[in-house]
Structure formats: C-alpha cells, structure tokens
Amino acid sequence: PRGHPRADRAVVDLADPAGVPLAQQFPGMLLRRQIDALMEAHDVAPGREVLTGSSQLAQHLVANGAGLTIIDRLSVLAMDSHRVTSRPLTPTRWVAFGVIRHRGDDPDPLVQALTDMLRDQVAACAVPGSIEMLNPDDPV
C-alpha cells in the first residue's frame, strides 16, 4: 500500500516480505504455482497468507492493509495507483498466461472479441524485459 516502508525501495527482494502477510491466489492456480516455485527455488518460505481468487482482489487486500502481494505486470495496469504502489521483484521470473480453448471449437464472437482486445492490450504493454507476445499459432 502507499506509505508502506517497502514502497520507498526501487526493487523489492523476494525475501523482503518475510514476516508480512502475503495476499496470494489459492493453491493450484497458475500464478500461485509459479510464485510457489520461485520461492522454493530461492529457499524463501512465505509467512502468513491471505488467500484470494485473483490478482485484482489481492490488490484490494493490499490497498486495505492486509499485507503485500506478488502479481504480474499486466495486472498492475488495473491497480489504483492512489492506494497501491508496485515495485519490481528480484529475482525476476517470467509469468505465463494465456487464453485456452478447445482446438476444434469456433469461438463465440464475444469470446473472440475479448481475446482480440486482450492481445491488443498485451501488445500495447509489451516492452523488452517486461511482456513479450508469443505467436498464438506456435506450439508451446
């Protein structure tokens, strides 16, 4: 949250939130699995957790003093910068996300419009070292 002692830092180290509640997604969710793997790889054990179903809800929890959170850079675009601040995390970690649908289905026009808008937004935010687009036709 704005005014938090770590908000003055240029970069936050993964071990810095020790002892501070961490607003995290529920176990098993994609971002949560990636954060857990990052913490395990660097032998960092989270303290107390406040669980939520989305990065946006985690930001609201942070804004209201529930602790800190680790989210992706795209989700930061939706935050209220008057109440919450973000800082880069070190070590860095790539976060994977995407749109999943059955290969044989023709998407609903509304789903396709949403997917196209998401791709446009990601492309507008893509900068070297931040967000990189993959070709949707490339196998992953």
Side-chain angles (χ1 to χ4, degrees), residues 83-120:
R83 301 185 66 206
V84 180
T85 187
S86 69
R87 295 293 177 261
L89 181 70
T90 186
T92 59
R93 171 73 182 231
W94 288 101
V95 176
F97 60 96
V99 176
I100 301 171
R101 64 181 185 88
H102 190 276
R103 183 181 309 222
D105 286 348
D106 288 329
D108 179 283
L110 291 175
V111 172
Q112 188 60 50
L114 175 62
T115 301
D116 291 343
M117 288 183 349
L118 287 170
R119 280 193 180 112
D120 291 346

PDB file of all heavy atoms in Angstrom, residues 83-120:
ATOM      1  N   ARG A  83      -3.749   4.289  -4.168  1.00  0.00           N
ATOM      2  CA  ARG A  83      -3.800   3.493  -2.941  1.00  0.00           C
ATOM      3  C   ARG A  83      -2.720   2.427  -2.860  1.00  0.00           C
ATOM      4  O   ARG A  83      -2.370   1.981  -1.777  1.00  0.00           O
ATOM      5  CB  ARG A  83      -5.168   2.826  -2.822  1.00  0.00           C
ATOM      6  CG  ARG A  83      -6.301   3.850  -2.794  1.00  0.00           C
ATOM      7  CD  ARG A  83      -7.634   3.222  -2.552  1.00  0.00           C
ATOM      8  NE  ARG A  83      -7.660   2.656  -1.209  1.00  0.00           N
ATOM      9  CZ  ARG A  83      -8.442   1.648  -0.865  1.00  0.00           C
ATOM     10  NH1 ARG A  83      -9.232   1.089  -1.724  1.00  0.00           N
ATOM     11  NH2 ARG A  83      -8.414   1.193   0.374  1.00  0.00           N
ATOM     12  N   VAL A  84      -2.234   1.991  -4.030  1.00  0.00           N
ATOM     13  CA  VAL A  84      -1.279   0.883  -4.087  1.00  0.00           C
ATOM     14  C   VAL A  84      -0.121   1.285  -4.981  1.00  0.00           C
ATOM     15  O   VAL A  84      -0.302   1.978  -5.974  1.00  0.00           O
ATOM     16  CB  VAL A  84      -1.958  -0.394  -4.647  1.00  0.00           C
ATOM     17  CG1 VAL A  84      -0.985  -1.544  -4.720  1.00  0.00           C
ATOM     18  CG2 VAL A  84      -3.161  -0.770  -3.810  1.00  0.00           C
ATOM     19  N   THR A  85       1.069   0.849  -4.614  1.00  0.00           N
ATOM     20  CA  THR A  85       2.234   1.076  -5.458  1.00  0.00           C
ATOM     21  C   THR A  85       2.854  -0.273  -5.802  1.00  0.00           C
ATOM     22  O   THR A  85       2.620  -1.261  -5.109  1.00  0.00           O
ATOM     23  CB  THR A  85       3.254   1.992  -4.745  1.00  0.00           C
ATOM     24  OG1 THR A  85       4.292   2.323  -5.650  1.00  0.00           O
ATOM     25  CG2 THR A  85       3.823   1.343  -3.509  1.00  0.00           C
ATOM     26  N   SER A  86       3.604  -0.312  -6.867  1.00  0.00           N
ATOM     27  CA  SER A  86       4.264  -1.564  -7.227  1.00  0.00           C
ATOM     28  C   SER A  86       5.750  -1.319  -7.419  1.00  0.00           C
ATOM     29  O   SER A  86       6.164  -0.225  -7.784  1.00  0.00           O
ATOM     30  CB  SER A  86       3.665  -2.156  -8.510  1.00  0.00           C
ATOM     31  OG  SER A  86       3.992  -1.362  -9.628  1.00  0.00           O
ATOM     32  N   ARG A  87       6.507  -2.336  -7.149  1.00  0.00           N
ATOM     33  CA  ARG A  87       7.957  -2.299  -7.321  1.00  0.00           C
ATOM     34  C   ARG A  87       8.385  -3.594  -7.981  1.00  0.00           C
ATOM     35  O   ARG A  87       7.790  -4.659  -7.736  1.00  0.00           O
ATOM     36  CB  ARG A  87       8.674  -2.164  -5.962  1.00  0.00           C
ATOM     37  CG  ARG A  87       8.388  -0.856  -5.246  1.00  0.00           C
ATOM     38  CD  ARG A  87       9.006   0.313  -6.031  1.00  0.00           C
ATOM     39  NE  ARG A  87       8.709   1.592  -5.420  1.00  0.00           N
ATOM     40  CZ  ARG A  87       7.743   2.405  -5.836  1.00  0.00           C
ATOM     41  NH1 ARG A  87       6.966   2.064  -6.834  1.00  0.00           N
ATOM     42  NH2 ARG A  87       7.562   3.566  -5.248  1.00  0.00           N
ATOM     43  N   PRO A  88       9.431  -3.538  -8.807  1.00  0.00           N
ATOM     44  CA  PRO A  88       9.942  -4.779  -9.403  1.00  0.00           C
ATOM     45  C   PRO A  88      10.443  -5.731  -8.318  1.00  0.00           C
ATOM     46  O   PRO A  88      10.930  -5.287  -7.273  1.00  0.00           O
ATOM     47  CB  PRO A  88      11.108  -4.309 -10.273  1.00  0.00           C
ATOM     48  CG  PRO A  88      10.916  -2.842 -10.455  1.00  0.00           C
ATOM     49  CD  PRO A  88      10.167  -2.359  -9.249  1.00  0.00           C
ATOM     50  N   LEU A  89      10.303  -7.009  -8.589  1.00  0.00           N
ATOM     51  CA  LEU A  89      10.749  -8.054  -7.675  1.00  0.00           C
ATOM     52  C   LEU A  89      12.043  -8.645  -8.186  1.00  0.00           C
ATOM     53  O   LEU A  89      12.204  -8.866  -9.381  1.00  0.00           O
ATOM     54  CB  LEU A  89       9.674  -9.145  -7.592  1.00  0.00           C
ATOM     55  CG  LEU A  89       9.949 -10.314  -6.657  1.00  0.00           C
ATOM     56  CD1 LEU A  89       9.884  -9.851  -5.202  1.00  0.00           C
ATOM     57  CD2 LEU A  89       8.929 -11.419  -6.899  1.00  0.00           C
ATOM     58  N   THR A  90      12.959  -8.889  -7.289  1.00  0.00           N
ATOM     59  CA  THR A  90      14.181  -9.592  -7.655  1.00  0.00           C
ATOM     60  C   THR A  90      14.296 -10.822  -6.770  1.00  0.00           C
ATOM     61  O   THR A  90      13.997 -10.742  -5.576  1.00  0.00           O
ATOM     62  CB  THR A  90      15.433  -8.689  -7.525  1.00  0.00           C
ATOM     63  OG1 THR A  90      16.562  -9.395  -8.029  1.00  0.00           O
ATOM     64  CG2 THR A  90      15.693  -8.255  -6.112  1.00  0.00           C
ATOM     65  N   PRO A  91      14.628 -11.967  -7.296  1.00  0.00           N
ATOM     66  CA  PRO A  91      14.937 -12.239  -8.685  1.00  0.00           C
ATOM     67  C   PRO A  91      13.675 -12.175  -9.541  1.00  0.00           C
ATOM     68  O   PRO A  91      12.569 -12.394  -9.056  1.00  0.00           O
ATOM     69  CB  PRO A  91      15.517 -13.651  -8.666  1.00  0.00           C
ATOM     70  CG  PRO A  91      14.878 -14.286  -7.481  1.00  0.00           C
ATOM     71  CD  PRO A  91      14.695 -13.179  -6.469  1.00  0.00           C
ATOM     72  N   THR A  92      13.863 -11.874 -10.810  1.00  0.00           N
ATOM     73  CA  THR A  92      12.729 -11.804 -11.726  1.00  0.00           C
ATOM     74  C   THR A  92      12.309 -13.204 -12.130  1.00  0.00           C
ATOM     75  O   THR A  92      13.065 -14.159 -12.014  1.00  0.00           O
ATOM     76  CB  THR A  92      13.082 -11.000 -12.988  1.00  0.00           C
ATOM     77  OG1 THR A  92      14.192 -11.619 -13.628  1.00  0.00           O
ATOM     78  CG2 THR A  92      13.415  -9.565 -12.647  1.00  0.00           C
ATOM     79  N   ARG A  93      11.100 -13.271 -12.613  1.00  0.00           N
ATOM     80  CA  ARG A  93      10.554 -14.557 -13.056  1.00  0.00           C
ATOM     81  C   ARG A  93       9.539 -14.297 -14.154  1.00  0.00           C
ATOM     82  O   ARG A  93       8.716 -13.402 -14.021  1.00  0.00           O
ATOM     83  CB  ARG A  93       9.886 -15.265 -11.872  1.00  0.00           C
ATOM     84  CG  ARG A  93       9.092 -16.496 -12.167  1.00  0.00           C
ATOM     85  CD  ARG A  93      10.012 -17.662 -12.496  1.00  0.00           C
ATOM     86  NE  ARG A  93       9.240 -18.831 -12.829  1.00  0.00           N
ATOM     87  CZ  ARG A  93       9.431 -20.000 -12.293  1.00  0.00           C
ATOM     88  NH1 ARG A  93      10.361 -20.181 -11.395  1.00  0.00           N
ATOM     89  NH2 ARG A  93       8.693 -21.014 -12.655  1.00  0.00           N
ATOM     90  N   TRP A  94       9.604 -15.054 -15.226  1.00  0.00           N
ATOM     91  CA  TRP A  94       8.598 -14.942 -16.265  1.00  0.00           C
ATOM     92  C   TRP A  94       7.316 -15.583 -15.784  1.00  0.00           C
ATOM     93  O   TRP A  94       7.332 -16.652 -15.175  1.00  0.00           O
ATOM     94  CB  TRP A  94       9.068 -15.635 -17.542  1.00  0.00           C
ATOM     95  CG  TRP A  94      10.151 -14.882 -18.226  1.00  0.00           C
ATOM     96  CD1 TRP A  94      11.488 -15.156 -18.191  1.00  0.00           C
ATOM     97  CD2 TRP A  94      10.018 -13.703 -19.003  1.00  0.00           C
ATOM     98  NE1 TRP A  94      12.191 -14.221 -18.915  1.00  0.00           N
ATOM     99  CE2 TRP A  94      11.312 -13.315 -19.428  1.00  0.00           C
ATOM    100  CE3 TRP A  94       8.927 -12.928 -19.393  1.00  0.00           C
ATOM    101  CZ2 TRP A  94      11.532 -12.197 -20.217  1.00  0.00           C
ATOM    102  CZ3 TRP A  94       9.157 -11.815 -20.182  1.00  0.00           C
ATOM    103  CH2 TRP A  94      10.440 -11.467 -20.585  1.00  0.00           C
ATOM    104  N   VAL A  95       6.204 -14.948 -16.050  1.00  0.00           N
ATOM    105  CA  VAL A  95       4.895 -15.470 -15.691  1.00  0.00           C
ATOM    106  C   VAL A  95       4.168 -15.823 -16.980  1.00  0.00           C
ATOM    107  O   VAL A  95       4.064 -14.993 -17.886  1.00  0.00           O
ATOM    108  CB  VAL A  95       4.084 -14.424 -14.893  1.00  0.00           C
ATOM    109  CG1 VAL A  95       2.690 -14.927 -14.595  1.00  0.00           C
ATOM    110  CG2 VAL A  95       4.811 -14.070 -13.606  1.00  0.00           C
ATOM    111  N   ALA A  96       3.692 -17.044 -17.071  1.00  0.00           N
ATOM    112  CA  ALA A  96       2.966 -17.482 -18.262  1.00  0.00           C
ATOM    113  C   ALA A  96       1.469 -17.304 -18.051  1.00  0.00           C
ATOM    114  O   ALA A  96       0.948 -17.584 -16.982  1.00  0.00           O
ATOM    115  CB  ALA A  96       3.281 -18.946 -18.539  1.00  0.00           C
ATOM    116  N   PHE A  97       0.804 -16.801 -19.072  1.00  0.00           N
ATOM    117  CA  PHE A  97      -0.645 -16.735 -19.041  1.00  0.00           C
ATOM    118  C   PHE A  97      -1.156 -16.755 -20.471  1.00  0.00           C
ATOM    119  O   PHE A  97      -0.398 -16.509 -21.409  1.00  0.00           O
ATOM    120  CB  PHE A  97      -1.161 -15.505 -18.290  1.00  0.00           C
ATOM    121  CG  PHE A  97      -0.727 -14.188 -18.871  1.00  0.00           C
ATOM    122  CD1 PHE A  97      -1.547 -13.493 -19.738  1.00  0.00           C
ATOM    123  CD2 PHE A  97       0.506 -13.638 -18.536  1.00  0.00           C
ATOM    124  CE1 PHE A  97      -1.143 -12.285 -20.277  1.00  0.00           C
ATOM    125  CE2 PHE A  97       0.904 -12.428 -19.059  1.00  0.00           C
ATOM    126  CZ  PHE A  97       0.082 -11.751 -19.935  1.00  0.00           C
ATOM    127  N   GLY A  98      -2.421 -17.048 -20.641  1.00  0.00           N
ATOM    128  CA  GLY A  98      -2.947 -17.109 -21.990  1.00  0.00           C
ATOM    129  C   GLY A  98      -4.426 -17.420 -21.992  1.00  0.00           C
ATOM    130  O   GLY A  98      -5.070 -17.484 -20.952  1.00  0.00           O
ATOM    131  N   VAL A  99      -4.955 -17.584 -23.184  1.00  0.00           N
ATOM    132  CA  VAL A  99      -6.351 -17.938 -23.383  1.00  0.00           C
ATOM    133  C   VAL A  99      -6.377 -19.385 -23.850  1.00  0.00           C
ATOM    134  O   VAL A  99      -5.656 -19.753 -24.775  1.00  0.00           O
ATOM    135  CB  VAL A  99      -7.003 -17.017 -24.442  1.00  0.00           C
ATOM    136  CG1 VAL A  99      -8.430 -17.444 -24.737  1.00  0.00           C
ATOM    137  CG2 VAL A  99      -6.945 -15.570 -23.990  1.00  0.00           C
ATOM    138  N   ILE A 100      -7.186 -20.184 -23.202  1.00  0.00           N
ATOM    139  CA  ILE A 100      -7.250 -21.607 -23.534  1.00  0.00           C
ATOM    140  C   ILE A 100      -8.650 -21.926 -24.038  1.00  0.00           C
ATOM    141  O   ILE A 100      -9.642 -21.570 -23.396  1.00  0.00           O
ATOM    142  CB  ILE A 100      -6.927 -22.470 -22.293  1.00  0.00           C
ATOM    143  CG1 ILE A 100      -5.531 -22.138 -21.781  1.00  0.00           C
ATOM    144  CG2 ILE A 100      -7.066 -23.953 -22.632  1.00  0.00           C
ATOM    145  CD1 ILE A 100      -5.206 -22.769 -20.451  1.00  0.00           C
ATOM    146  N   ARG A 101      -8.701 -22.582 -25.178  1.00  0.00           N
ATOM    147  CA  ARG A 101      -9.978 -23.041 -25.719  1.00  0.00           C
ATOM    148  C   ARG A 101      -9.727 -24.329 -26.486  1.00  0.00           C
ATOM    149  O   ARG A 101      -8.594 -24.632 -26.850  1.00  0.00           O
ATOM    150  CB  ARG A 101     -10.637 -21.984 -26.604  1.00  0.00           C
ATOM    151  CG  ARG A 101      -9.873 -21.631 -27.851  1.00  0.00           C
ATOM    152  CD  ARG A 101     -10.604 -20.553 -28.663  1.00  0.00           C
ATOM    153  NE  ARG A 101      -9.933 -20.302 -29.901  1.00  0.00           N
ATOM    154  CZ  ARG A 101     -10.142 -20.966 -31.029  1.00  0.00           C
ATOM    155  NH1 ARG A 101     -11.035 -21.945 -31.060  1.00  0.00           N
ATOM    156  NH2 ARG A 101      -9.480 -20.689 -32.128  1.00  0.00           N
ATOM    157  N   HIS A 102     -10.763 -25.073 -26.733  1.00  0.00           N
ATOM    158  CA  HIS A 102     -10.642 -26.325 -27.452  1.00  0.00           C
ATOM    159  C   HIS A 102     -10.229 -26.044 -28.888  1.00  0.00           C
ATOM    160  O   HIS A 102     -10.786 -25.161 -29.559  1.00  0.00           O
ATOM    161  CB  HIS A 102     -11.969 -27.098 -27.422  1.00  0.00           C
ATOM    162  CG  HIS A 102     -11.833 -28.480 -27.933  1.00  0.00           C
ATOM    163  ND1 HIS A 102     -11.888 -28.782 -29.275  1.00  0.00           N
ATOM    164  CD2 HIS A 102     -11.626 -29.655 -27.292  1.00  0.00           C
ATOM    165  CE1 HIS A 102     -11.730 -30.073 -29.448  1.00  0.00           C
ATOM    166  NE2 HIS A 102     -11.577 -30.631 -28.251  1.00  0.00           N
ATOM    167  N   ARG A 103      -9.258 -26.780 -29.383  1.00  0.00           N
ATOM    168  CA  ARG A 103      -8.700 -26.571 -30.722  1.00  0.00           C
ATOM    169  C   ARG A 103      -9.759 -26.654 -31.811  1.00  0.00           C
ATOM    170  O   ARG A 103      -9.719 -25.914 -32.780  1.00  0.00           O
ATOM    171  CB  ARG A 103      -7.606 -27.596 -30.978  1.00  0.00           C
ATOM    172  CG  ARG A 103      -6.899 -27.431 -32.296  1.00  0.00           C
ATOM    173  CD  ARG A 103      -5.858 -28.489 -32.484  1.00  0.00           C
ATOM    174  NE  ARG A 103      -5.009 -28.530 -31.306  1.00  0.00           N
ATOM    175  CZ  ARG A 103      -3.697 -28.650 -31.319  1.00  0.00           C
ATOM    176  NH1 ARG A 103      -3.076 -28.793 -32.445  1.00  0.00           N
ATOM    177  NH2 ARG A 103      -3.004 -28.664 -30.206  1.00  0.00           N
ATOM    178  N   GLY A 104     -10.725 -27.542 -31.685  1.00  0.00           N
ATOM    179  CA  GLY A 104     -11.717 -27.748 -32.733  1.00  0.00           C
ATOM    180  C   GLY A 104     -12.910 -26.812 -32.680  1.00  0.00           C
ATOM    181  O   GLY A 104     -13.727 -26.795 -33.597  1.00  0.00           O
ATOM    182  N   ASP A 105     -13.040 -26.036 -31.622  1.00  0.00           N
ATOM    183  CA  ASP A 105     -14.199 -25.153 -31.481  1.00  0.00           C
ATOM    184  C   ASP A 105     -13.993 -23.833 -32.206  1.00  0.00           C
ATOM    185  O   ASP A 105     -12.903 -23.263 -32.200  1.00  0.00           O
ATOM    186  CB  ASP A 105     -14.463 -24.836 -30.003  1.00  0.00           C
ATOM    187  CG  ASP A 105     -15.066 -26.005 -29.258  1.00  0.00           C
ATOM    188  OD1 ASP A 105     -15.494 -26.969 -29.914  1.00  0.00           O
ATOM    189  OD2 ASP A 105     -15.109 -25.937 -28.023  1.00  0.00           O
ATOM    190  N   ASP A 106     -15.065 -23.364 -32.805  1.00  0.00           N
ATOM    191  CA  ASP A 106     -15.069 -21.993 -33.304  1.00  0.00           C
ATOM    192  C   ASP A 106     -15.509 -21.126 -32.136  1.00  0.00           C
ATOM    193  O   ASP A 106     -16.578 -21.345 -31.569  1.00  0.00           O
ATOM    194  CB  ASP A 106     -16.061 -21.832 -34.465  1.00  0.00           C
ATOM    195  CG  ASP A 106     -15.584 -22.509 -35.733  1.00  0.00           C
ATOM    196  OD1 ASP A 106     -14.350 -22.559 -35.924  1.00  0.00           O
ATOM    197  OD2 ASP A 106     -16.431 -22.977 -36.504  1.00  0.00           O
ATOM    198  N   PRO A 107     -14.673 -20.140 -31.763  1.00  0.00           N
ATOM    199  CA  PRO A 107     -15.041 -19.354 -30.586  1.00  0.00           C
ATOM    200  C   PRO A 107     -16.269 -18.484 -30.831  1.00  0.00           C
ATOM    201  O   PRO A 107     -16.522 -18.037 -31.949  1.00  0.00           O
ATOM    202  CB  PRO A 107     -13.802 -18.493 -30.332  1.00  0.00           C
ATOM    203  CG  PRO A 107     -13.088 -18.431 -31.635  1.00  0.00           C
ATOM    204  CD  PRO A 107     -13.411 -19.709 -32.346  1.00  0.00           C
ATOM    205  N   ASP A 108     -17.015 -18.301 -29.794  1.00  0.00           N
ATOM    206  CA  ASP A 108     -18.134 -17.376 -29.805  1.00  0.00           C
ATOM    207  C   ASP A 108     -17.600 -15.997 -30.203  1.00  0.00           C
ATOM    208  O   ASP A 108     -16.506 -15.619 -29.791  1.00  0.00           O
ATOM    209  CB  ASP A 108     -18.734 -17.350 -28.384  1.00  0.00           C
ATOM    210  CG  ASP A 108     -19.882 -16.398 -28.267  1.00  0.00           C
ATOM    211  OD1 ASP A 108     -19.622 -15.182 -28.191  1.00  0.00           O
ATOM    212  OD2 ASP A 108     -21.031 -16.867 -28.246  1.00  0.00           O
ATOM    213  N   PRO A 109     -18.331 -15.232 -31.010  1.00  0.00           N
ATOM    214  CA  PRO A 109     -17.836 -13.912 -31.422  1.00  0.00           C
ATOM    215  C   PRO A 109     -17.477 -13.003 -30.246  1.00  0.00           C
ATOM    216  O   PRO A 109     -16.522 -12.233 -30.326  1.00  0.00           O
ATOM    217  CB  PRO A 109     -18.995 -13.329 -32.232  1.00  0.00           C
ATOM    218  CG  PRO A 109     -19.760 -14.516 -32.731  1.00  0.00           C
ATOM    219  CD  PRO A 109     -19.609 -15.572 -31.667  1.00  0.00           C
ATOM    220  N   LEU A 110     -18.207 -13.099 -29.143  1.00  0.00           N
ATOM    221  CA  LEU A 110     -17.875 -12.278 -27.967  1.00  0.00           C
ATOM    222  C   LEU A 110     -16.567 -12.741 -27.331  1.00  0.00           C
ATOM    223  O   LEU A 110     -15.757 -11.924 -26.905  1.00  0.00           O
ATOM    224  CB  LEU A 110     -19.010 -12.323 -26.940  1.00  0.00           C
ATOM    225  CG  LEU A 110     -20.298 -11.626 -27.359  1.00  0.00           C
ATOM    226  CD1 LEU A 110     -21.380 -11.842 -26.306  1.00  0.00           C
ATOM    227  CD2 LEU A 110     -20.061 -10.149 -27.600  1.00  0.00           C
ATOM    228  N   VAL A 111     -16.355 -14.051 -27.288  1.00  0.00           N
ATOM    229  CA  VAL A 111     -15.105 -14.587 -26.753  1.00  0.00           C
ATOM    230  C   VAL A 111     -13.942 -14.161 -27.646  1.00  0.00           C
ATOM    231  O   VAL A 111     -12.884 -13.747 -27.167  1.00  0.00           O
ATOM    232  CB  VAL A 111     -15.166 -16.126 -26.616  1.00  0.00           C
ATOM    233  CG1 VAL A 111     -13.806 -16.697 -26.240  1.00  0.00           C
ATOM    234  CG2 VAL A 111     -16.227 -16.524 -25.600  1.00  0.00           C
ATOM    235  N   GLN A 112     -14.138 -14.232 -28.960  1.00  0.00           N
ATOM    236  CA  GLN A 112     -13.086 -13.818 -29.888  1.00  0.00           C
ATOM    237  C   GLN A 112     -12.794 -12.327 -29.756  1.00  0.00           C
ATOM    238  O   GLN A 112     -11.637 -11.910 -29.771  1.00  0.00           O
ATOM    239  CB  GLN A 112     -13.470 -14.153 -31.332  1.00  0.00           C
ATOM    240  CG  GLN A 112     -12.333 -13.929 -32.307  1.00  0.00           C
ATOM    241  CD  GLN A 112     -11.114 -14.782 -31.996  1.00  0.00           C
ATOM    242  OE1 GLN A 112     -11.224 -15.980 -31.812  1.00  0.00           O
ATOM    243  NE2 GLN A 112      -9.950 -14.167 -31.921  1.00  0.00           N
ATOM    244  N   ALA A 113     -13.826 -11.506 -29.588  1.00  0.00           N
ATOM    245  CA  ALA A 113     -13.626 -10.057 -29.411  1.00  0.00           C
ATOM    246  C   ALA A 113     -12.839  -9.783 -28.127  1.00  0.00           C
ATOM    247  O   ALA A 113     -11.919  -8.946 -28.120  1.00  0.00           O
ATOM    248  CB  ALA A 113     -14.968  -9.330 -29.379  1.00  0.00           C
ATOM    249  N   LEU A 114     -13.173 -10.489 -27.047  1.00  0.00           N
ATOM    250  CA  LEU A 114     -12.436 -10.318 -25.790  1.00  0.00           C
ATOM    251  C   LEU A 114     -10.987 -10.760 -25.957  1.00  0.00           C
ATOM    252  O   LEU A 114     -10.065 -10.060 -25.522  1.00  0.00           O
ATOM    253  CB  LEU A 114     -13.106 -11.110 -24.665  1.00  0.00           C
ATOM    254  CG  LEU A 114     -12.367 -11.118 -23.325  1.00  0.00           C
ATOM    255  CD1 LEU A 114     -12.248  -9.702 -22.769  1.00  0.00           C
ATOM    256  CD2 LEU A 114     -13.068 -12.030 -22.343  1.00  0.00           C
ATOM    257  N   THR A 115     -10.774 -11.898 -26.611  1.00  0.00           N
ATOM    258  CA  THR A 115      -9.415 -12.395 -26.837  1.00  0.00           C
ATOM    259  C   THR A 115      -8.608 -11.395 -27.663  1.00  0.00           C
ATOM    260  O   THR A 115      -7.449 -11.104 -27.346  1.00  0.00           O
ATOM    261  CB  THR A 115      -9.458 -13.764 -27.541  1.00  0.00           C
ATOM    262  OG1 THR A 115     -10.190 -14.675 -26.721  1.00  0.00           O
ATOM    263  CG2 THR A 115      -8.067 -14.311 -27.782  1.00  0.00           C
ATOM    264  N   ASP A 116      -9.216 -10.839 -28.694  1.00  0.00           N
ATOM    265  CA  ASP A 116      -8.522  -9.848 -29.528  1.00  0.00           C
ATOM    266  C   ASP A 116      -8.181  -8.596 -28.717  1.00  0.00           C
ATOM    267  O   ASP A 116      -7.080  -8.045 -28.850  1.00  0.00           O
ATOM    268  CB  ASP A 116      -9.379  -9.470 -30.739  1.00  0.00           C
ATOM    269  CG  ASP A 116      -9.527 -10.615 -31.736  1.00  0.00           C
ATOM    270  OD1 ASP A 116      -8.730 -11.576 -31.678  1.00  0.00           O
ATOM    271  OD2 ASP A 116     -10.465 -10.541 -32.566  1.00  0.00           O
ATOM    272  N   MET A 117      -9.100  -8.165 -27.864  1.00  0.00           N
ATOM    273  CA  MET A 117      -8.823  -6.986 -27.030  1.00  0.00           C
ATOM    274  C   MET A 117      -7.687  -7.269 -26.054  1.00  0.00           C
ATOM    275  O   MET A 117      -6.830  -6.411 -25.823  1.00  0.00           O
ATOM    276  CB  MET A 117     -10.086  -6.543 -26.281  1.00  0.00           C
ATOM    277  CG  MET A 117     -11.111  -5.911 -27.198  1.00  0.00           C
ATOM    278  SD  MET A 117     -12.642  -5.262 -26.453  1.00  0.00           S
ATOM    279  CE  MET A 117     -12.687  -5.841 -24.814  1.00  0.00           C
ATOM    280  N   LEU A 118      -7.670  -8.467 -25.474  1.00  0.00           N
ATOM    281  CA  LEU A 118      -6.592  -8.831 -24.558  1.00  0.00           C
ATOM    282  C   LEU A 118      -5.246  -8.846 -25.279  1.00  0.00           C
ATOM    283  O   LEU A 118      -4.255  -8.321 -24.775  1.00  0.00           O
ATOM    284  CB  LEU A 118      -6.860 -10.195 -23.931  1.00  0.00           C
ATOM    285  CG  LEU A 118      -7.954 -10.243 -22.878  1.00  0.00           C
ATOM    286  CD1 LEU A 118      -8.279 -11.691 -22.522  1.00  0.00           C
ATOM    287  CD2 LEU A 118      -7.553  -9.466 -21.640  1.00  0.00           C
ATOM    288  N   ARG A 119      -5.217  -9.435 -26.476  1.00  0.00           N
ATOM    289  CA  ARG A 119      -3.972  -9.452 -27.254  1.00  0.00           C
ATOM    290  C   ARG A 119      -3.506  -8.026 -27.569  1.00  0.00           C
ATOM    291  O   ARG A 119      -2.320  -7.722 -27.483  1.00  0.00           O
ATOM    292  CB  ARG A 119      -4.162 -10.232 -28.550  1.00  0.00           C
ATOM    293  CG  ARG A 119      -4.092 -11.710 -28.360  1.00  0.00           C
ATOM    294  CD  ARG A 119      -3.961 -12.427 -29.708  1.00  0.00           C
ATOM    295  NE  ARG A 119      -3.897 -13.850 -29.467  1.00  0.00           N
ATOM    296  CZ  ARG A 119      -4.836 -14.706 -29.809  1.00  0.00           C
ATOM    297  NH1 ARG A 119      -5.912 -14.302 -30.459  1.00  0.00           N
ATOM    298  NH2 ARG A 119      -4.698 -15.984 -29.543  1.00  0.00           N
ATOM    299  N   ASP A 120      -4.452  -7.142 -27.947  1.00  0.00           N
ATOM    300  CA  ASP A 120      -4.096  -5.751 -28.241  1.00  0.00           C
ATOM    301  C   ASP A 120      -3.522  -5.063 -27.005  1.00  0.00           C
ATOM    302  O   ASP A 120      -2.543  -4.319 -27.091  1.00  0.00           O
ATOM    303  CB  ASP A 120      -5.310  -4.976 -28.750  1.00  0.00           C
ATOM    304  CG  ASP A 120      -5.765  -5.417 -30.135  1.00  0.00           C
ATOM    305  OD1 ASP A 120      -4.997  -6.137 -30.820  1.00  0.00           O
ATOM    306  OD2 ASP A 120      -6.901  -5.053 -30.518  1.00  0.00           O
TER     307      ASP A 120
END
